[in-house]
Amino acid sequence: MGNQPVAKVKTGSVEVAVWENKSQNKLFWNSVTIQRHYKSGEKWKNTNSFRLRDIKDIITAWSR
């Protein structure tokens, strides 16, 4: 079983995921990944590169 995010929000083509991390000392912290989904031919792909017009979707997803 792989790690799963504790929260995931998708707005437009942008997806924000929040991950819970734990150290060996039992300290917890969260980290965030942001991806943009796009279609290339018939295949869906992901990137960590964003267009200026994606900023609104990133802010919207982050604030949910």
Side-chain angles (χ1 to χ4, degrees):
M1 179 169 111
N3 278 347
Q4 295 294 317
V6 294
K8 191 188 303 188
V9 176
K10 186 172 181 186
T11 303
S13 62
V14 172
E15 182 176 86
V16 174
V18 179
W19 304 85
E20 186 175 80
N21 302 281
K22 181 172 74 169
S23 72
Q24 292 177 348
N25 298 344
K26 309 260 192 242
L27 298 174
F28 289 90
W29 71 95
N30 291 326
S31 60
V32 176
T33 56
I34 304 172
Q35 293 185 336
R36 179 172 59 88
H37 303 282
Y38 66 97
K39 199 168 188 179
S40 178
E42 294 298 315
K43 293 189 176 189
W44 282 97
K45 297 186 177 188
N46 301 320
T47 184
N48 295 327
S49 178
F50 303 95
R51 305 165 295 192
L52 284 176
R53 66 181 181 213
D54 295 324
I55 292 172
K56 179 183 166 196
D57 289 337
I58 293 168
I59 292 168
T60 301
W62 179 255
S63 62
R64 286 191 179 174

Short mmCIF file of all heavy atoms in Angstrom, two decimals:
data_model
loop_
_atom_site.label_atom_id
_atom_site.label_comp_id
_atom_site.label_asym_id
_atom_site.label_seq_id
_atom_site.Cartn_x
_atom_site.Cartn_y
_atom_site.Cartn_z
N MET A 1 0.84 -1.18 0.00
CA MET A 1 0.00 0.00 0.00
C MET A 1 0.88 1.24 0.00
O MET A 1 1.75 1.41 0.82
CB MET A 1 -0.90 -0.04 1.24
CG MET A 1 -1.80 1.13 1.38
SD MET A 1 -3.02 0.84 2.67
CE MET A 1 -2.47 2.00 3.89
N GLY A 2 0.66 2.15 -0.96
CA GLY A 2 1.47 3.35 -1.06
C GLY A 2 0.92 4.48 -0.22
O GLY A 2 -0.19 4.41 0.31
N ASN A 3 1.72 5.51 -0.09
CA ASN A 3 1.27 6.70 0.62
C ASN A 3 0.12 7.35 -0.12
O ASN A 3 0.12 7.42 -1.34
CB ASN A 3 2.40 7.70 0.75
CG ASN A 3 3.33 7.39 1.90
OD1 ASN A 3 3.02 6.58 2.74
ND2 ASN A 3 4.47 8.05 1.91
N GLN A 4 -0.83 7.84 0.61
CA GLN A 4 -1.97 8.56 0.06
C GLN A 4 -2.00 9.95 0.70
O GLN A 4 -1.69 10.09 1.88
CB GLN A 4 -3.28 7.83 0.35
CG GLN A 4 -3.39 6.48 -0.32
CD GLN A 4 -3.45 6.59 -1.83
OE1 GLN A 4 -4.13 7.43 -2.37
NE2 GLN A 4 -2.70 5.74 -2.50
N PRO A 5 -2.38 10.97 -0.05
CA PRO A 5 -2.48 12.31 0.55
C PRO A 5 -3.62 12.36 1.56
O PRO A 5 -4.60 11.64 1.43
CB PRO A 5 -2.75 13.22 -0.65
CG PRO A 5 -3.31 12.33 -1.71
CD PRO A 5 -2.73 10.97 -1.47
N VAL A 6 -3.48 13.23 2.56
CA VAL A 6 -4.55 13.40 3.54
C VAL A 6 -5.63 14.31 2.98
O VAL A 6 -6.75 14.31 3.49
CB VAL A 6 -4.02 13.93 4.89
CG1 VAL A 6 -3.13 12.90 5.56
CG2 VAL A 6 -3.30 15.25 4.73
N ALA A 7 -5.30 15.08 1.96
CA ALA A 7 -6.29 15.94 1.29
C ALA A 7 -5.83 16.15 -0.14
O ALA A 7 -4.63 16.20 -0.42
CB ALA A 7 -6.43 17.26 2.01
N LYS A 8 -6.81 16.25 -1.04
CA LYS A 8 -6.51 16.50 -2.45
C LYS A 8 -7.62 17.37 -3.02
O LYS A 8 -8.79 17.06 -2.84
CB LYS A 8 -6.43 15.19 -3.21
CG LYS A 8 -5.86 15.32 -4.60
CD LYS A 8 -5.94 14.05 -5.42
CE LYS A 8 -5.27 12.85 -4.83
NZ LYS A 8 -5.24 11.72 -5.76
N VAL A 9 -7.24 18.46 -3.68
CA VAL A 9 -8.21 19.36 -4.29
C VAL A 9 -7.81 19.62 -5.73
O VAL A 9 -6.64 19.92 -6.00
CB VAL A 9 -8.29 20.71 -3.52
CG1 VAL A 9 -9.24 21.67 -4.22
CG2 VAL A 9 -8.72 20.49 -2.08
N LYS A 10 -8.77 19.50 -6.63
CA LYS A 10 -8.51 19.77 -8.04
C LYS A 10 -9.38 20.93 -8.49
O LYS A 10 -10.59 20.93 -8.23
CB LYS A 10 -8.79 18.54 -8.89
CG LYS A 10 -8.41 18.73 -10.33
CD LYS A 10 -8.51 17.46 -11.13
CE LYS A 10 -8.08 17.76 -12.56
NZ LYS A 10 -8.27 16.65 -13.44
N THR A 11 -8.75 21.92 -9.11
CA THR A 11 -9.46 23.06 -9.68
C THR A 11 -8.93 23.28 -11.08
O THR A 11 -7.73 23.50 -11.26
CB THR A 11 -9.24 24.33 -8.82
OG1 THR A 11 -9.65 24.07 -7.50
CG2 THR A 11 -10.01 25.50 -9.38
N GLY A 12 -9.80 23.20 -12.07
CA GLY A 12 -9.34 23.30 -13.45
C GLY A 12 -8.39 22.17 -13.74
O GLY A 12 -8.67 21.00 -13.45
N SER A 13 -7.23 22.48 -14.26
CA SER A 13 -6.24 21.45 -14.58
C SER A 13 -5.21 21.27 -13.47
O SER A 13 -4.27 20.49 -13.60
CB SER A 13 -5.52 21.80 -15.89
OG SER A 13 -4.82 23.02 -15.75
N VAL A 14 -5.37 22.00 -12.35
CA VAL A 14 -4.40 22.00 -11.26
C VAL A 14 -4.89 21.14 -10.10
O VAL A 14 -6.07 21.18 -9.73
CB VAL A 14 -4.15 23.44 -10.76
CG1 VAL A 14 -3.29 23.46 -9.52
CG2 VAL A 14 -3.51 24.26 -11.87
N GLU A 15 -3.98 20.35 -9.52
CA GLU A 15 -4.31 19.52 -8.37
C GLU A 15 -3.30 19.79 -7.26
O GLU A 15 -2.09 19.76 -7.49
CB GLU A 15 -4.24 18.04 -8.76
CG GLU A 15 -4.61 17.10 -7.64
CD GLU A 15 -4.61 15.67 -8.12
OE1 GLU A 15 -3.53 15.06 -8.12
OE2 GLU A 15 -5.68 15.19 -8.51
N VAL A 16 -3.81 20.08 -6.05
CA VAL A 16 -2.99 20.30 -4.87
C VAL A 16 -3.23 19.14 -3.91
O VAL A 16 -4.38 18.82 -3.62
CB VAL A 16 -3.34 21.64 -4.19
CG1 VAL A 16 -2.58 21.80 -2.89
CG2 VAL A 16 -3.07 22.81 -5.13
N ALA A 17 -2.16 18.52 -3.47
CA ALA A 17 -2.26 17.40 -2.52
C ALA A 17 -1.46 17.73 -1.26
O ALA A 17 -0.36 18.27 -1.35
CB ALA A 17 -1.75 16.11 -3.14
N VAL A 18 -2.03 17.41 -0.10
CA VAL A 18 -1.37 17.61 1.19
C VAL A 18 -0.98 16.25 1.73
O VAL A 18 -1.81 15.33 1.79
CB VAL A 18 -2.29 18.34 2.19
CG1 VAL A 18 -1.59 18.52 3.54
CG2 VAL A 18 -2.75 19.68 1.63
N TRP A 19 0.28 16.12 2.12
CA TRP A 19 0.82 14.85 2.61
C TRP A 19 1.23 14.99 4.06
O TRP A 19 1.80 16.01 4.46
CB TRP A 19 2.05 14.47 1.78
CG TRP A 19 1.76 14.40 0.33
CD1 TRP A 19 1.75 15.43 -0.56
CD2 TRP A 19 1.39 13.24 -0.41
NE1 TRP A 19 1.41 14.97 -1.81
CE2 TRP A 19 1.19 13.62 -1.74
CE3 TRP A 19 1.22 11.91 -0.06
CZ2 TRP A 19 0.82 12.73 -2.73
CZ3 TRP A 19 0.86 11.01 -1.06
CH2 TRP A 19 0.67 11.42 -2.37
N GLU A 20 0.96 13.97 4.87
CA GLU A 20 1.39 13.95 6.27
C GLU A 20 2.68 13.15 6.36
O GLU A 20 2.79 12.05 5.81
CB GLU A 20 0.33 13.33 7.15
CG GLU A 20 0.66 13.42 8.63
CD GLU A 20 -0.47 12.91 9.49
OE1 GLU A 20 -0.57 11.66 9.63
OE2 GLU A 20 -1.25 13.73 9.99
N ASN A 21 3.65 13.73 7.03
CA ASN A 21 4.95 13.10 7.20
C ASN A 21 5.23 12.88 8.68
O ASN A 21 4.75 13.64 9.53
CB ASN A 21 6.05 13.99 6.61
CG ASN A 21 5.80 14.28 5.16
OD1 ASN A 21 6.06 13.47 4.30
ND2 ASN A 21 5.25 15.46 4.87
N LYS A 22 6.01 11.85 9.00
CA LYS A 22 6.36 11.57 10.39
C LYS A 22 7.83 11.20 10.46
O LYS A 22 8.32 10.36 9.68
CB LYS A 22 5.51 10.42 10.93
CG LYS A 22 5.78 10.08 12.38
CD LYS A 22 4.78 9.08 12.95
CE LYS A 22 5.05 7.70 12.41
NZ LYS A 22 4.29 6.64 13.09
N SER A 23 8.55 11.82 11.39
CA SER A 23 9.97 11.52 11.58
C SER A 23 10.12 10.32 12.51
O SER A 23 9.15 9.84 13.11
CB SER A 23 10.70 12.73 12.17
OG SER A 23 10.33 12.90 13.52
N GLN A 24 11.34 9.84 12.65
CA GLN A 24 11.61 8.73 13.56
C GLN A 24 11.35 9.13 15.01
O GLN A 24 11.09 8.30 15.85
CB GLN A 24 13.06 8.27 13.40
CG GLN A 24 13.31 7.61 12.07
CD GLN A 24 14.76 7.21 11.89
OE1 GLN A 24 15.64 7.59 12.66
NE2 GLN A 24 15.02 6.43 10.84
N ASN A 25 11.39 10.45 15.28
CA ASN A 25 11.11 10.97 16.63
C ASN A 25 9.63 11.20 16.86
O ASN A 25 9.24 11.84 17.83
CB ASN A 25 11.85 12.29 16.86
CG ASN A 25 13.35 12.12 16.77
OD1 ASN A 25 13.86 11.02 16.83
ND2 ASN A 25 14.05 13.21 16.61
N LYS A 26 8.79 10.71 15.94
CA LYS A 26 7.33 10.84 16.03
C LYS A 26 6.85 12.28 15.88
O LYS A 26 5.79 12.65 16.38
CB LYS A 26 6.79 10.25 17.33
CG LYS A 26 7.26 8.85 17.62
CD LYS A 26 6.21 7.85 17.27
CE LYS A 26 6.61 6.50 17.84
NZ LYS A 26 6.82 5.50 16.89
N LEU A 27 7.63 13.12 15.20
CA LEU A 27 7.20 14.49 14.90
C LEU A 27 6.45 14.46 13.57
O LEU A 27 6.86 13.78 12.64
CB LEU A 27 8.40 15.42 14.82
CG LEU A 27 9.23 15.58 16.10
CD1 LEU A 27 10.46 16.42 15.82
CD2 LEU A 27 8.39 16.19 17.20
N PHE A 28 5.36 15.21 13.49
CA PHE A 28 4.55 15.25 12.28
C PHE A 28 4.66 16.61 11.61
O PHE A 28 4.79 17.63 12.28
CB PHE A 28 3.07 15.00 12.63
CG PHE A 28 2.78 13.59 13.04
CD1 PHE A 28 2.86 13.20 14.36
CD2 PHE A 28 2.42 12.65 12.08
CE1 PHE A 28 2.59 11.90 14.74
CE2 PHE A 28 2.14 11.34 12.45
CZ PHE A 28 2.23 10.97 13.78
N TRP A 29 4.61 16.62 10.29
CA TRP A 29 4.52 17.84 9.51
C TRP A 29 3.84 17.53 8.19
O TRP A 29 3.73 16.38 7.80
CB TRP A 29 5.90 18.48 9.29
CG TRP A 29 6.77 17.73 8.34
CD1 TRP A 29 6.92 17.97 6.99
CD2 TRP A 29 7.62 16.62 8.61
NE1 TRP A 29 7.79 17.09 6.42
CE2 TRP A 29 8.24 16.23 7.41
CE3 TRP A 29 7.92 15.90 9.76
CZ2 TRP A 29 9.13 15.18 7.32
CZ3 TRP A 29 8.81 14.84 9.66
CH2 TRP A 29 9.40 14.50 8.46
N ASN A 30 3.35 18.56 7.55
CA ASN A 30 2.69 18.40 6.26
C ASN A 30 3.55 18.97 5.15
O ASN A 30 4.29 19.93 5.36
CB ASN A 30 1.33 19.11 6.25
CG ASN A 30 0.33 18.42 7.15
OD1 ASN A 30 0.34 17.21 7.29
ND2 ASN A 30 -0.54 19.18 7.77
N SER A 31 3.44 18.38 3.99
CA SER A 31 4.06 18.93 2.79
C SER A 31 3.00 18.98 1.69
O SER A 31 1.96 18.35 1.80
CB SER A 31 5.27 18.09 2.35
OG SER A 31 4.87 16.77 2.08
N VAL A 32 3.28 19.74 0.66
CA VAL A 32 2.30 19.97 -0.40
C VAL A 32 2.94 19.70 -1.75
O VAL A 32 4.10 20.07 -1.98
CB VAL A 32 1.81 21.44 -0.36
CG1 VAL A 32 0.88 21.74 -1.51
CG2 VAL A 32 1.13 21.73 0.97
N THR A 33 2.19 19.04 -2.64
CA THR A 33 2.61 18.91 -4.03
C THR A 33 1.54 19.57 -4.90
O THR A 33 0.36 19.54 -4.59
CB THR A 33 2.79 17.44 -4.46
OG1 THR A 33 1.57 16.73 -4.23
CG2 THR A 33 3.93 16.78 -3.72
N ILE A 34 2.01 20.20 -5.97
CA ILE A 34 1.10 20.86 -6.91
C ILE A 34 1.45 20.35 -8.30
O ILE A 34 2.62 20.34 -8.69
CB ILE A 34 1.25 22.39 -6.86
CG1 ILE A 34 1.03 22.90 -5.44
CG2 ILE A 34 0.28 23.06 -7.83
CD1 ILE A 34 1.35 24.38 -5.27
N GLN A 35 0.43 19.89 -9.03
CA GLN A 35 0.63 19.37 -10.38
C GLN A 35 -0.41 19.97 -11.32
O GLN A 35 -1.51 20.33 -10.90
CB GLN A 35 0.46 17.86 -10.42
CG GLN A 35 1.51 17.09 -9.69
CD GLN A 35 1.33 15.59 -9.89
OE1 GLN A 35 0.23 15.12 -10.18
NE2 GLN A 35 2.41 14.85 -9.73
N ARG A 36 -0.02 20.05 -12.58
CA ARG A 36 -0.96 20.43 -13.62
C ARG A 36 -1.13 19.23 -14.54
O ARG A 36 -0.16 18.60 -14.94
CB ARG A 36 -0.45 21.63 -14.43
CG ARG A 36 -1.38 22.04 -15.55
CD ARG A 36 -0.96 23.34 -16.21
NE ARG A 36 0.36 23.31 -16.79
CZ ARG A 36 0.65 22.92 -18.03
NH1 ARG A 36 -0.32 22.50 -18.84
NH2 ARG A 36 1.88 22.94 -18.47
N HIS A 37 -2.37 18.89 -14.85
CA HIS A 37 -2.68 17.78 -15.73
C HIS A 37 -2.96 18.33 -17.13
O HIS A 37 -3.61 19.35 -17.28
CB HIS A 37 -3.90 17.00 -15.23
CG HIS A 37 -3.74 16.50 -13.83
ND1 HIS A 37 -2.99 15.39 -13.52
CD2 HIS A 37 -4.20 16.97 -12.65
CE1 HIS A 37 -3.00 15.19 -12.22
NE2 HIS A 37 -3.74 16.15 -11.66
N TYR A 38 -2.46 17.64 -18.14
CA TYR A 38 -2.70 18.06 -19.52
C TYR A 38 -2.73 16.83 -20.42
O TYR A 38 -2.21 15.77 -20.06
CB TYR A 38 -1.65 19.06 -20.00
CG TYR A 38 -0.26 18.48 -20.12
CD1 TYR A 38 0.21 18.03 -21.34
CD2 TYR A 38 0.57 18.36 -19.01
CE1 TYR A 38 1.48 17.48 -21.46
CE2 TYR A 38 1.83 17.83 -19.11
CZ TYR A 38 2.28 17.38 -20.35
OH TYR A 38 3.53 16.84 -20.46
N LYS A 39 -3.34 16.98 -21.56
CA LYS A 39 -3.45 15.88 -22.50
C LYS A 39 -2.49 16.11 -23.65
O LYS A 39 -2.45 17.19 -24.24
CB LYS A 39 -4.88 15.76 -23.01
CG LYS A 39 -5.20 14.43 -23.62
CD LYS A 39 -6.70 14.30 -23.83
CE LYS A 39 -7.03 12.88 -24.25
NZ LYS A 39 -8.47 12.70 -24.45
N SER A 40 -1.69 15.09 -23.95
CA SER A 40 -0.76 15.11 -25.07
C SER A 40 -1.18 13.99 -26.01
O SER A 40 -0.98 12.82 -25.70
CB SER A 40 0.67 14.92 -24.58
OG SER A 40 1.57 14.89 -25.67
N GLY A 41 -1.79 14.35 -27.13
CA GLY A 41 -2.35 13.33 -28.00
C GLY A 41 -3.52 12.69 -27.29
O GLY A 41 -4.46 13.36 -26.89
N GLU A 42 -3.46 11.39 -27.09
CA GLU A 42 -4.53 10.65 -26.40
C GLU A 42 -4.20 10.36 -24.94
O GLU A 42 -5.01 9.80 -24.22
CB GLU A 42 -4.81 9.33 -27.13
CG GLU A 42 -5.39 9.52 -28.52
CD GLU A 42 -6.75 10.22 -28.48
OE1 GLU A 42 -7.59 9.85 -27.64
OE2 GLU A 42 -6.95 11.15 -29.29
N LYS A 43 -2.98 10.73 -24.49
CA LYS A 43 -2.55 10.39 -23.13
C LYS A 43 -2.59 11.59 -22.20
O LYS A 43 -2.24 12.70 -22.59
CB LYS A 43 -1.12 9.84 -23.16
CG LYS A 43 -1.00 8.51 -23.84
CD LYS A 43 0.37 7.94 -23.64
CE LYS A 43 0.45 6.54 -24.24
NZ LYS A 43 1.69 5.89 -23.90
N TRP A 44 -3.02 11.35 -20.95
CA TRP A 44 -2.98 12.37 -19.92
C TRP A 44 -1.61 12.34 -19.26
O TRP A 44 -1.06 11.27 -18.98
CB TRP A 44 -4.06 12.13 -18.87
CG TRP A 44 -5.40 12.58 -19.35
CD1 TRP A 44 -6.36 11.80 -19.90
CD2 TRP A 44 -5.90 13.91 -19.36
NE1 TRP A 44 -7.45 12.56 -20.26
CE2 TRP A 44 -7.18 13.88 -19.93
CE3 TRP A 44 -5.39 15.13 -18.94
CZ2 TRP A 44 -7.96 15.01 -20.08
CZ3 TRP A 44 -6.18 16.27 -19.09
CH2 TRP A 44 -7.44 16.19 -19.66
N LYS A 45 -1.04 13.52 -19.02
CA LYS A 45 0.27 13.65 -18.40
C LYS A 45 0.19 14.66 -17.26
O LYS A 45 -0.77 15.42 -17.16
CB LYS A 45 1.30 14.08 -19.43
CG LYS A 45 1.48 13.06 -20.54
CD LYS A 45 2.61 13.45 -21.45
CE LYS A 45 2.81 12.36 -22.50
NZ LYS A 45 4.02 12.60 -23.28
N ASN A 46 1.24 14.68 -16.42
CA ASN A 46 1.35 15.62 -15.31
C ASN A 46 2.64 16.42 -15.45
O ASN A 46 3.63 15.91 -15.96
CB ASN A 46 1.40 14.89 -13.96
CG ASN A 46 0.20 14.05 -13.71
OD1 ASN A 46 -0.91 14.45 -14.02
ND2 ASN A 46 0.40 12.87 -13.17
N THR A 47 2.61 17.64 -14.94
CA THR A 47 3.82 18.45 -14.91
C THR A 47 3.82 19.31 -13.65
O THR A 47 2.77 19.57 -13.07
CB THR A 47 3.93 19.35 -16.16
OG1 THR A 47 5.18 20.05 -16.13
CG2 THR A 47 2.79 20.33 -16.26
N ASN A 48 4.99 19.74 -13.24
CA ASN A 48 5.14 20.68 -12.14
C ASN A 48 5.47 22.07 -12.67
O ASN A 48 5.90 22.95 -11.93
CB ASN A 48 6.24 20.22 -11.18
CG ASN A 48 5.86 18.93 -10.50
OD1 ASN A 48 4.69 18.68 -10.24
ND2 ASN A 48 6.83 18.09 -10.23
N SER A 49 5.27 22.26 -13.95
CA SER A 49 5.47 23.54 -14.61
C SER A 49 4.09 24.14 -14.88
O SER A 49 3.18 23.45 -15.32
CB SER A 49 6.23 23.32 -15.92
OG SER A 49 6.39 24.54 -16.60
N PHE A 50 3.96 25.43 -14.62
CA PHE A 50 2.65 26.06 -14.70
C PHE A 50 2.65 27.25 -15.65
O PHE A 50 3.67 27.90 -15.84
CB PHE A 50 2.20 26.51 -13.30
CG PHE A 50 2.16 25.38 -12.33
CD1 PHE A 50 3.23 25.13 -11.50
CD2 PHE A 50 1.07 24.53 -12.29
CE1 PHE A 50 3.23 24.07 -10.63
CE2 PHE A 50 1.05 23.46 -11.42
CZ PHE A 50 2.12 23.23 -10.59
N ARG A 51 1.49 27.50 -16.22
CA ARG A 51 1.29 28.67 -17.07
C ARG A 51 0.80 29.81 -16.18
O ARG A 51 0.27 29.57 -15.09
CB ARG A 51 0.25 28.36 -18.14
CG ARG A 51 0.61 27.13 -18.97
CD ARG A 51 -0.56 26.63 -19.74
NE ARG A 51 -1.59 26.15 -18.80
CZ ARG A 51 -2.64 25.43 -19.14
NH1 ARG A 51 -2.85 25.11 -20.40
NH2 ARG A 51 -3.52 25.03 -18.25
N LEU A 52 0.95 31.03 -16.62
CA LEU A 52 0.48 32.17 -15.83
C LEU A 52 -1.01 32.03 -15.53
O LEU A 52 -1.46 32.35 -14.43
CB LEU A 52 0.75 33.48 -16.55
CG LEU A 52 2.20 33.96 -16.52
CD1 LEU A 52 2.35 35.22 -17.35
CD2 LEU A 52 2.66 34.20 -15.09
N ARG A 53 -1.78 31.54 -16.48
CA ARG A 53 -3.22 31.42 -16.25
C ARG A 53 -3.58 30.35 -15.23
O ARG A 53 -4.72 30.27 -14.77
CB ARG A 53 -3.94 31.17 -17.57
CG ARG A 53 -3.62 29.85 -18.20
CD ARG A 53 -4.36 29.71 -19.51
NE ARG A 53 -4.08 28.43 -20.12
CZ ARG A 53 -4.01 28.23 -21.41
NH1 ARG A 53 -4.22 29.23 -22.25
NH2 ARG A 53 -3.76 27.04 -21.89
N ASP A 54 -2.61 29.48 -14.84
CA ASP A 54 -2.85 28.45 -13.81
C ASP A 54 -2.80 29.02 -12.40
O ASP A 54 -3.26 28.37 -11.45
CB ASP A 54 -1.82 27.32 -13.92
CG ASP A 54 -1.93 26.55 -15.21
OD1 ASP A 54 -3.06 26.36 -15.70
OD2 ASP A 54 -0.88 26.15 -15.74
N ILE A 55 -2.24 30.21 -12.23
CA ILE A 55 -2.06 30.77 -10.89
C ILE A 55 -3.39 30.89 -10.16
O ILE A 55 -3.49 30.58 -8.97
CB ILE A 55 -1.33 32.13 -10.97
CG1 ILE A 55 0.11 31.89 -11.43
CG2 ILE A 55 -1.35 32.83 -9.62
CD1 ILE A 55 0.89 33.14 -11.72
N LYS A 56 -4.43 31.33 -10.86
CA LYS A 56 -5.76 31.46 -10.23
C LYS A 56 -6.24 30.11 -9.70
O LYS A 56 -6.75 30.02 -8.57
CB LYS A 56 -6.76 32.01 -11.23
CG LYS A 56 -8.15 32.15 -10.69
CD LYS A 56 -9.10 32.64 -11.77
CE LYS A 56 -10.53 32.46 -11.32
NZ LYS A 56 -11.47 32.55 -12.41
N ASP A 57 -6.07 29.03 -10.49
CA ASP A 57 -6.49 27.70 -10.05
C ASP A 57 -5.66 27.21 -8.87
O ASP A 57 -6.17 26.55 -7.96
CB ASP A 57 -6.41 26.69 -11.19
CG ASP A 57 -7.49 26.92 -12.23
OD1 ASP A 57 -8.52 27.53 -11.90
OD2 ASP A 57 -7.30 26.49 -13.38
N ILE A 58 -4.36 27.52 -8.85
CA ILE A 58 -3.50 27.12 -7.73
C ILE A 58 -3.97 27.80 -6.45
O ILE A 58 -4.13 27.16 -5.41
CB ILE A 58 -2.02 27.46 -8.01
CG1 ILE A 58 -1.49 26.60 -9.16
CG2 ILE A 58 -1.17 27.29 -6.76
CD1 ILE A 58 -0.16 27.04 -9.70
N ILE A 59 -4.25 29.09 -6.52
CA ILE A 59 -4.71 29.83 -5.35
C ILE A 59 -6.06 29.31 -4.89
O ILE A 59 -6.29 29.12 -3.69
CB ILE A 59 -4.76 31.34 -5.64
CG1 ILE A 59 -3.33 31.87 -5.83
CG2 ILE A 59 -5.48 32.10 -4.54
CD1 ILE A 59 -3.27 33.26 -6.40
N THR A 60 -6.97 29.06 -5.82
CA THR A 60 -8.29 28.54 -5.45
C THR A 60 -8.19 27.18 -4.78
O THR A 60 -8.81 26.94 -3.73
CB THR A 60 -9.19 28.45 -6.70
OG1 THR A 60 -9.31 29.74 -7.28
CG2 THR A 60 -10.56 27.90 -6.36
N ALA A 61 -7.41 26.28 -5.35
CA ALA A 61 -7.25 24.94 -4.76
C ALA A 61 -6.59 25.02 -3.39
O ALA A 61 -6.98 24.31 -2.46
CB ALA A 61 -6.45 24.04 -5.70
N TRP A 62 -5.58 25.86 -3.26
CA TRP A 62 -4.85 25.98 -2.00
C TRP A 62 -5.75 26.51 -0.88
O TRP A 62 -5.63 26.12 0.27
CB TRP A 62 -3.64 26.89 -2.19
CG TRP A 62 -2.86 27.10 -0.95
CD1 TRP A 62 -2.84 28.22 -0.18
CD2 TRP A 62 -1.99 26.17 -0.33
NE1 TRP A 62 -2.00 28.04 0.88
CE2 TRP A 62 -1.47 26.79 0.81
CE3 TRP A 62 -1.59 24.87 -0.63
CZ2 TRP A 62 -0.57 26.15 1.66
CZ3 TRP A 62 -0.70 24.23 0.22
CH2 TRP A 62 -0.21 24.87 1.35
N SER A 63 -6.68 27.39 -1.22
CA SER A 63 -7.49 28.04 -0.20
C SER A 63 -8.72 27.21 0.21
O SER A 63 -9.46 27.61 1.10
CB SER A 63 -7.94 29.42 -0.66
OG SER A 63 -8.75 29.31 -1.82
N ARG A 64 -8.94 26.07 -0.40
CA ARG A 64 -10.09 25.23 -0.03
C ARG A 64 -9.82 24.40 1.18
O ARG A 64 -8.84 23.98 1.55
CB ARG A 64 -10.47 24.29 -1.18
CG ARG A 64 -11.14 25.06 -2.26
CD ARG A 64 -11.73 24.11 -3.25
NE ARG A 64 -12.41 24.87 -4.29
CZ ARG A 64 -12.93 24.32 -5.34
NH1 ARG A 64 -12.88 23.03 -5.53
NH2 ARG A 64 -13.52 25.04 -6.23
#
